[in-house]
């Protein structure tokens, strides 16, 4: 039941359709004081975490730090209204920030007005792409990127991001989108290390790593309960920001070469209209599509994981609309592309967020910070923000998955390693493209080589299993091939060749049965291959039979001429087919010999 009506009321069809696109109408009508309290607490925790992250990720994207704050206000509210996840925290994230830097950097210098305009266009384009995909219910397209490929891309991106931030930790210049160029420029400028910056950066990173792993156990050993200890530990970046900012002021470290954030405007998010330049839009269209797809895959993975923990569900198609609206809102409020962040969402979940209203309250907290607190951030060292990014993204680097994938599937491992290598050596966009191409290529390769097995009957049962895996009963005159995939143009030729190869290896064969229990569909190309197989069997004096054909497949076959020309029968069960055909060959009944073609 959705909308404002009571459970006993009949929901008008228009309200059901309307509330599908406005999930707030579903959870909003049940909102109560307990939910409000939980959401406010969660929002306070996430706001504290999000302020330094927003500044850091904006600078990672090559943008002024305030744009990170702007991207954390209206986009969050838009998602709270239209998104289906109760705990997903939307805003700037590391991978999308890096992709924004790569895409906008291809048309303008980072930090320039043209660069900011390109970032707004990327937000608008990716938002529109997501909305259109959601309206067309294309949420399933997120499945085209396999998990190993996504894991490889995120791992490689984490390594690139962490490496790119070393320049701010060391206080030196470095550039490049790929790992070789980054390392080369870092090494060449090591002689310019700024010692105060290095001390701040290393100290902040060490503190943040310790806070992540060691502060919670320490607080619990002092008698604090687990949940408060965990929430305090999550607020560690604020302590690093405060301590390093105070150090810069007290010791006048800016005069000693320590780079600081500087002046941040105290203002509401501005109303911005993305530049209407068709040539520029065309140039940024493909990067925007990649940002949309990667952002959606990352976001929906987090949302589904957290929803499952509370036995809730999300709607991937509506998630597309919610994330698309968030990006459109970013484009018109001075932001840049956003998506659901893993770390923030987990904190939001652990802090007890009950509904998307927690996100809206977080947006209010960020708005207050943008209006009142930005003067306090003037002396915030860039090195501290770099340390914040490094600690956050290194949690994305996963070296366990490649080992697990290697043991499970060599082809998936090859795709994962290729994605990592291309991303590290060539940059983010080539890495994303290679990941998409590899995912599709792997799917097509697997679909073109379906699993098929020769089966026999398990003794004293009516079950049929693979002859290579089980001790089963077979008959040299009756061959059963179980097809374990739907039949399409991708695998039709393979099936034809496989069947003819097996028939050639059984010279005494009289009956061939195709067991179709796992065949859920058949297209015109596969039908043509079945007809070709049937003609070949007739020519060879072998009867072709089908068994366990599902209803929709039988409906399709009845609209064709295959059943009329079929040399054998269609059996309801494989057990019936094996019993009747075995009895037939034991009686000595031979299939009719092929009629020779008329002589001319």
């Amino acid at each position: 039941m959705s909308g404002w009506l009571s459970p006993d009321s009949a929901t008008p069809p228009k309200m059901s359709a309307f509330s599908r696109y406005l999930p707030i109408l579903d959870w909003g009508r049940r909102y109560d004081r307990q939910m409000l309290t939980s959401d406010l607490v969660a929002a306070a925790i996430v706001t504290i975490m999000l302020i330094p992250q927003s500044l850091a990720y904006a600078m990672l994207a090559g943008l002024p730090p305030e744009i990170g704050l702007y991207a954390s206000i209206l986009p969050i509210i838009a998602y709270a209204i239209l998104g289906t996840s109760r705990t997903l925290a939307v805003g700037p994230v590391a991978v999308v920030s890096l992709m924004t830097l790569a895409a906008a950097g291809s048309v303008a210098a980072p930090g320039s007005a043209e660069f900011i305009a390109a970032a707004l266009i990327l937000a608008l384009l990716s938002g529109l792409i997501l909305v259109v995909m959601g309206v067309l219910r294309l949420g399933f397209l997120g499945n085209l990127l396999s998990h190993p490929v996504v894991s490889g891309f995120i791992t490689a991106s984490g390594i690139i991001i962490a490496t790119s931030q070393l320049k701010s930790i060391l206080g030196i210049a470095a550039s490049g989108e790929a790992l070789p160029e980054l390392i080369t420029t870092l090494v060449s400028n090591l002689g310019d290390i700024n010692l105060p910056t290095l001390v701040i950066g290393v100290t902040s990173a060490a503190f943040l790593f310790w806070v992540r792993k060691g502060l919670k156990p320490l607080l619990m050993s002092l008698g604090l309960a687990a949940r408060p200890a965990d929430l305090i530990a999550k607020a560690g970046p604020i302590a690093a920001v405060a301590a390093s900012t105070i150090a810069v002021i007290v010791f006048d470290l800016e005069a000693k070469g320590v780079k600081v954030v500087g002046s941040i405007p105290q203002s509401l998010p501005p109303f911005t209209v993305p530049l209407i330049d068709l040539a520029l839009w065309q140039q940024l269209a493909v990067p925007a599509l990649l940002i949309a797809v990667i952002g959606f895959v990352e976001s929906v993975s987090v949302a589904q994981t957290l929803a499952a923990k509370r036995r809730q569900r999300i709607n991937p198609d509506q998630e597309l609309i919610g994330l698309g609206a968030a990006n459109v809102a970013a484009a018109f409020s001075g932001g840049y592309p956003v998506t659901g962040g893993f770390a923030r969402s987990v904190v939001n979940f652990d802090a007890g967020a009950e509904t998307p209203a927690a996100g809206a309250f977080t947006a209010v907290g960020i708005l207050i910070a943008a209006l009142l607190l930005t003067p306090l951030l003037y002396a915030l060292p860039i090195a501290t923000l770099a340390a914040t990014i490094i600690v956050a993204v290194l949690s994305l680097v996963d070296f366990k998955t490649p080992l697990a994938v290697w043991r499970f599937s060599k082809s998936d491992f090859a795709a994962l390693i290729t994605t990592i290598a291309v991303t590290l050596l060539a940059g983010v966009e080539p890495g994303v493209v290679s990941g998409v191409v590899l995912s599709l290529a792997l799917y097509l390769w697997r679909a073109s080589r379906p699993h098929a097995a020769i089966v026999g009957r398990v003794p004293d049962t009516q079950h049929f299993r693979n002859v290579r895996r089980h001790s089963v009963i077979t008959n040299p005159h009756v061959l059963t091939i179980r097809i374990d995939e739907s039949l399409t143009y991708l695998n039709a030729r393979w099936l034809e060749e496989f069947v003819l190869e097996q028939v050639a290896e059984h010279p005494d064969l009289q009956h061939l049965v195709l067991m179709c229990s796992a065949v859920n569909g058949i297209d015109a190309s596969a039908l043509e291959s079945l007809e070709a197989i049937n003609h070949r069997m007739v020519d060879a004096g072998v009867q072709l039979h089908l068994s366990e054909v599902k209803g929709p497949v039988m409906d399709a076959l009845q609209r064709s001429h295959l059943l009329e020309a079929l040399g054998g029968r269609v059996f309801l069960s494989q057990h019936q087919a094996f019993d009747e055909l075995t009895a037939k060959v034991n009686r000595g009944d031979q299939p009719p010999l092929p009629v020779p073609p008329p002589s001319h």
Side-chain angles (χ1 to χ4, degrees):
M1 181 68 69
S2 57
W4 295 284
L5 300 178
S6 67
D8 297 327
S9 305
T11 304
K14 288 186 178 180
M15 178 57 72
S16 296
F18 188 60
S19 60
R20 174 192 178 275
Y21 294 102
L22 283 174
I24 190 174
L25 300 181
D26 179 41
W27 58 264
R29 65 188 176 87
R30 295 190 295 270
Y31 204 71
D32 55 27
R33 181 175 298 179
Q34 183 270 326
M35 290 180 177
L36 174 63
T37 302
S38 298
D39 287 345
L40 285 172
V41 171
I45 298 297
V46 175
T47 299
I48 292 172
M49 178 184 186
L50 188 53
I51 290 173
Q53 276 196 354
S54 298
L55 299 171
Y57 290 150
M59 300 185 75
L60 171 62
L63 296 164
E66 65 269 17
I67 289 183
L69 296 177
Y70 299 155
S72 303
I73 299 175
L74 286 185
I76 298 180
I77 294 175
Y79 179 82
I81 295 171
L82 296 168
T84 60
S85 172
R86 301 296 179 92
T87 52
L88 187 70
V90 172
V93 300
V95 172
V96 171
S97 297
L98 182 62
M99 294 178 72
T100 300
L101 173 64
S106 66
V107 299
S112 65
E114 293 78 10
F115 185 91
I116 296 174
L120 292 175
I121 292 173
L122 285 169
L124 179 59
L125 286 177
S126 61
L128 293 176
I129 290 169
L130 289 167
V131 169
V132 170
M133 290 174 64
V135 172
L136 297 178
R137 302 193 178 190
L138 300 180
F140 68 92
L141 292 178
N143 298 329
L144 294 180
L145 276 174
S146 67
H147 174 72
V149 166
V150 173
S151 175
F153 171 73
I154 291 177
T155 292
S157 297
I159 294 172
I160 289 177
I161 292 169
T163 305
S164 71
Q165 295 306 298
L166 289 178
K167 65 180 185 293
S168 298
I169 296 286
L170 301 173
I172 62 178
S175 61
E177 297 178 9
L179 197 61
E181 186 179 357
L182 280 170
I183 293 176
T184 300
T185 54
L186 281 170
V187 172
S188 64
N189 292 316
L190 284 178
D192 300 329
I193 290 177
N194 180 273
L195 186 59
T197 300
L198 178 62
V199 171
I200 290 175
V202 171
T203 303
S204 297
F207 172 74
L208 291 173
F209 275 119
W210 174 77
V211 163
R212 183 174 287 249
K213 298 293 184 181
L215 182 56
K216 180 179 176 180
L218 176 62
L219 293 174
M220 291 180 64
S221 68
L222 297 175
L224 196 63
R227 184 173 178 183
D230 184 59
L231 295 179
I232 291 173
K234 292 292 193 304
I238 291 294
V241 166
S244 60
T245 301
I246 292 171
V248 168
I249 296 172
V250 171
F251 298 106
D252 194 21
L253 295 181
E254 186 179 2
K256 298 177 182 179
V258 174
K259 293 183 179 179
V260 297
V261 170
S263 297
I264 300 177
Q266 289 180 266
S267 66
L268 295 171
F271 175 72
T272 51
V273 178
L275 180 66
I276 305 300
D277 184 337
L278 294 182
L280 185 57
W281 282 41
Q282 290 177 353
Q283 195 170 351
L284 295 174
V286 172
L289 174 62
L290 297 177
I291 288 173
V293 172
I294 291 296
F296 170 66
V297 170
E298 180 179 354
S299 178
V300 80
S301 299
V302 175
Q304 287 176 333
T305 300
L306 297 180
K309 290 184 177 182
R310 291 184 179 175
R311 298 191 178 184
Q312 297 169 346
R313 62 180 296 273
I314 67 165
N315 183 336
D317 296 324
Q318 184 61 29
E319 283 297 290
L320 284 166
I321 295 175
L323 291 172
N327 278 280
V328 172
F332 287 97
S333 61
Y336 72 103
V338 298
T339 192
F342 176 76
R344 285 195 306 273
S345 298
V346 171
V347 171
N348 198 37
F349 180 91
D350 290 342
E354 297 269 357
T355 72
F361 297 144
T362 299
V364 173
I366 299 294
L367 179 63
I368 294 172
L371 286 173
L372 303 177
L373 302 181
T374 52
L376 302 177
L377 300 172
Y378 176 91
L380 171 60
I382 301 296
T384 302
L385 293 180
T388 302
I389 293 174
I390 289 174
V391 173
V393 300
L394 286 183
S395 66
L396 303 176
V397 177
D398 181 6
F399 293 117
K400 294 181 180 178
T401 294
L403 297 176
V405 173
W406 167 260
R407 291 192 295 267
F408 180 76
S409 170
K410 301 301 185 290
S411 61
D412 280 337
F413 176 79
L416 185 151
I417 292 300
T418 301
T419 302
I420 291 176
V422 172
T423 304
L424 291 178
L425 298 177
V428 176
E429 287 189 18
V432 177
V433 172
S434 68
V436 173
V437 171
L438 279 170
S439 294
L440 292 174
L442 279 174
Y443 170 77
L444 294 176
W445 182 77
R446 288 167 178 160
S448 67
R449 299 178 60 83
H451 182 266
I454 297 174
V455 298
R457 186 167 63 190
V458 179
D460 302 322
T461 73
Q462 297 183 9
H463 301 295
F464 287 77
R465 294 292 184 268
N466 192 333
V467 297
R468 294 184 178 181
R469 296 177 177 271
H470 301 271
S471 178
V472 293
I473 299 170
T474 60
N475 188 300
H477 305 293
V478 180
L479 177 68
T480 297
I481 298 177
R482 189 189 67 215
I483 306 166
D484 292 335
E485 299 283 349
S486 294
L487 298 178
T488 69
Y489 70 95
L490 291 172
N491 56 36
R493 182 64 61 184
W494 180 90
L495 175 65
E496 191 174 337
E497 294 175 355
F498 178 80
V499 169
L500 295 179
E501 178 184 341
Q502 296 304 319
V503 170
E505 293 178 1
H506 294 77
D508 298 328
L509 188 63
Q510 297 179 19
H511 299 278
L512 171 66
V513 183
L514 297 183
M515 184 176 174
C516 303
S517 55
V519 178
N520 296 317
I522 182 170
D523 68 7
S525 298
L527 175 64
E528 185 177 341
S529 288
L530 286 179
E531 291 174 342
I533 292 172
N534 183 58
H535 288 312
R536 295 282 188 91
M537 294 304 99
V538 171
D539 291 342
V542 176
Q543 288 187 341
L544 175 66
H545 309 271
L546 305 177
S547 72
E548 302 190 9
V549 181
K550 293 184 176 180
V553 178
M554 181 61 75
D555 292 341
L557 295 180
Q558 288 174 341
R559 295 192 295 269
S560 71
H561 299 292
L562 176 65
L563 298 182
E564 298 174 6
L566 191 65
R569 293 175 49 192
V570 178
F571 291 93
L572 182 64
S573 71
Q574 178 57 34
H575 174 68
Q576 177 193 13
F578 188 76
D579 272 2
E580 292 191 15
L581 295 177
T582 299
K584 188 174 184 179
V585 296
N586 289 340
R587 291 195 306 266
D589 297 343
Q590 297 292 330
L593 295 175
V595 178
S599 57
H600 297 286

